[in-house]
Amino acid sequence: MHFDNTNKPTGAKRLLLALGHSFRAFNWLTKNESAFRQELILLLVTIILLFTLELSLYERVMLFCATLFVMFAEIVNTAIEATIDRVGLEIHPLSGLAKDLGSAGVLIALIVFICIWGSCLYQNLY
């Protein structure tokens, strides 16, 4: 089966298909990636804290987006890993580098998360 680049869906059909693909990906991530499951717990904790802490709307949005950014980085990292594994399972320096770079992206997202959460909590405590 080959991809037909000349007969791609458009409009609402394309959006519905994309939404279905996204839900399939979330389902796969939840079943197969422990880091993603941990980040779902982090998202749940974030949502609970957003309703219990006295924060401005801007702070709530920033904290929520910081958590989503970590999840986004994890999804991109998993996509990189899946692509590398699809190409070949043999050990190759560039494959290792690609996976390490994806992991570094997650680390940067976590640092952003910590900076945003830390600054908002510090501001509200002092």
Side-chain angles (χ1 to χ4, degrees):
M1 181 177 192
H2 296 291
F3 178 72
D4 183 1
N5 196 34
T6 61
N7 191 24
K8 295 191 295 188
T10 59
K13 182 178 181 181
R14 183 189 69 77
L15 291 174
L16 286 173
L17 287 170
L19 188 61
H21 297 317
S22 295
F23 281 127
R24 188 174 70 231
F26 283 126
N27 187 40
W28 186 92
L29 284 160
T30 302
K31 289 180 180 176
N32 296 288
E33 287 294 319
S34 61
F36 188 77
R37 287 191 298 274
Q38 292 169 343
E39 289 154 2
L40 282 174
I41 293 169
L42 179 65
L43 181 63
L44 179 63
V45 170
T46 294
I47 292 169
I48 292 168
L49 288 174
L50 293 181
F51 286 105
T52 58
L53 298 174
E54 291 200 24
L55 302 166
S56 69
L57 176 61
Y58 176 77
E59 290 169 324
R60 291 175 199 270
V61 170
M62 287 301 298
L63 295 172
F64 185 70
C65 287
T67 306
L68 290 179
F69 184 58
V70 172
M71 296 177 79
F72 169 78
E74 187 64 49
I75 291 168
V76 171
N77 182 45
T78 302
I80 290 168
E81 290 176 349
T83 302
I84 295 301
D85 291 346
R86 161 66 173 84
V87 171
L89 295 176
E90 68 278 356
I91 296 174
H92 189 280
L94 290 176
S95 297
L97 176 61
K99 289 184 175 191
D100 290 347
L101 292 169
S103 180
V106 174
L107 177 62
I108 295 295
L110 286 167
I111 292 169
V112 169
F113 172 87
I114 291 167
C115 289
I116 291 172
W117 271 90
S119 64
C120 282
L121 293 177
Y122 178 81
Q123 180 179 350
N124 283 288
L125 290 175
Y126 300 103

